[in-house]
Amino acid sequence: MTSPLAACRIELAGETIELLPERALWWPAAGVLFAADLHLGKAATYRALGQPVPGGTTQENLARLDRLIERLAPREIVFLGDFLHAAQARTATLLAAVAAWRDRHAALACTLVRGNHDSRAGDPPAALRFQLVDEPHRIGPFAACHHPQRHPTHFVLAGHLHPACRLHGRGRDSLRMPCFVREGEQLILPAFGEFTGGWQVEPAPGRRFYAVGGNGVWALPGLA
């Protein structure tokens, strides 16, 4: 029997936020779901270069979005950049899969905050009906960004780094896990996409880590 999903509830900018084990952020009061760095088509891009990498990652990403939408019923999804990985990712198969996903959720508002990969991959097709914005995109008390940064008036939600942390056990045992990272008035989301890799963020004074593993997200008090 699968264990129930366990989000981590925290307060940001006076709002109750849930950090989800699906590597996304949920703002219940506004009905807004945030996801960073899907990098759709990354595996296909590598295969086009002759690299033997697995397929099916786009379908897994979209299926995870489907499950989140079914469970949470958001009114809007804000993608924090790097929706498509590269121009080579714009294959007929991938675009058809994304179009089918969009048709399943036609009433859902979708906003893309353009990231560095979006500038190379190009905007999603107009038929997907995405609102396309540049960072920072202000929404309530938050500044939705792709790149981590400071904002003079709003709490920043960002992606780009694909953050990961390392837990140490006995002896040489260690475990590397995706994580949310909070530092000051900024929270960096882990990459939502499969096959995206991660950058290990080192502990520092005032830096909080929320590890993602299995069906849960939990604060790591020893990495603050």
Side-chain angles (χ1 to χ4, degrees):
M1 183 174 179
T2 303
S3 300
L5 299 175
C8 181
R9 186 170 293 178
I10 63 174
E11 297 293 319
L12 298 178
E15 297 287 336
T16 299
I17 297 298
E18 294 182 8
L19 310 180
L20 304 178
E22 294 91 346
R23 303 194 298 275
L25 183 151
W26 173 231
W27 180 16
V32 179
L33 182 68
F34 295 86
D37 300 287
L38 270 71
H39 287 273
L40 296 181
K42 182 174 182 178
T45 301
Y46 275 72
R47 287 195 299 272
L49 297 173
Q51 300 294 330
V53 299
T57 54
T58 292
Q59 291 295 346
E60 169 55 29
N61 290 330
L62 297 178
R64 216 153 14 100
L65 283 175
D66 282 339
R67 293 192 292 270
L68 280 169
I69 293 166
E70 180 179 1
R71 187 171 90 244
L72 301 173
R75 67 168 186 84
E76 180 181 6
I77 297 181
V78 177
F79 295 103
L80 300 178
D82 291 0
F83 184 75
L84 296 173
H85 181 69
Q88 298 93 323
R90 302 174 74 96
T91 64
T93 300
L94 182 140
L95 293 178
V98 177
W101 172 84
R102 190 68 177 103
D103 287 344
R104 291 196 295 273
H105 309 289
L108 179 66
C110 291
T111 299
L112 171 62
V113 182
R114 293 184 179 98
N116 54 301
H117 278 265
D118 300 300
S119 65
R120 298 195 292 271
D123 290 334
L128 295 182
R129 303 181 311 283
F130 277 30
Q131 179 188 10
L132 304 171
V133 298
D134 294 320
E135 60 182 3
H137 171 60
R138 291 182 290 276
I139 175 170
F142 301 111
C145 302
H146 176 63
H147 299 91
Q149 58 195 270
R150 305 297 179 188
H151 192 278
T153 57
H154 287 57
F155 191 100
V156 170
L157 303 176
H160 184 59
L161 296 182
H162 307 189
C165 60
R166 187 171 293 279
L167 305 183
H168 295 277
R170 294 174 181 267
R172 295 185 178 182
D173 285 347
S174 68
L175 182 63
R176 193 167 179 266
M177 309 174 73
C179 64
F180 298 82
V181 180
R182 180 178 182 178
E183 187 168 8
E185 296 299 297
Q186 176 179 245
L187 181 80
I188 304 170
L189 278 66
F192 185 89
E194 302 291 329
F195 193 62
T196 52
W199 177 65
Q200 186 171 325
V201 180
E202 298 299 331
R207 187 174 287 168
R208 295 291 307 275
F209 292 80
Y210 302 87
V212 181
N215 291 324
V217 180
W218 66 97
L220 299 178
L223 291 180

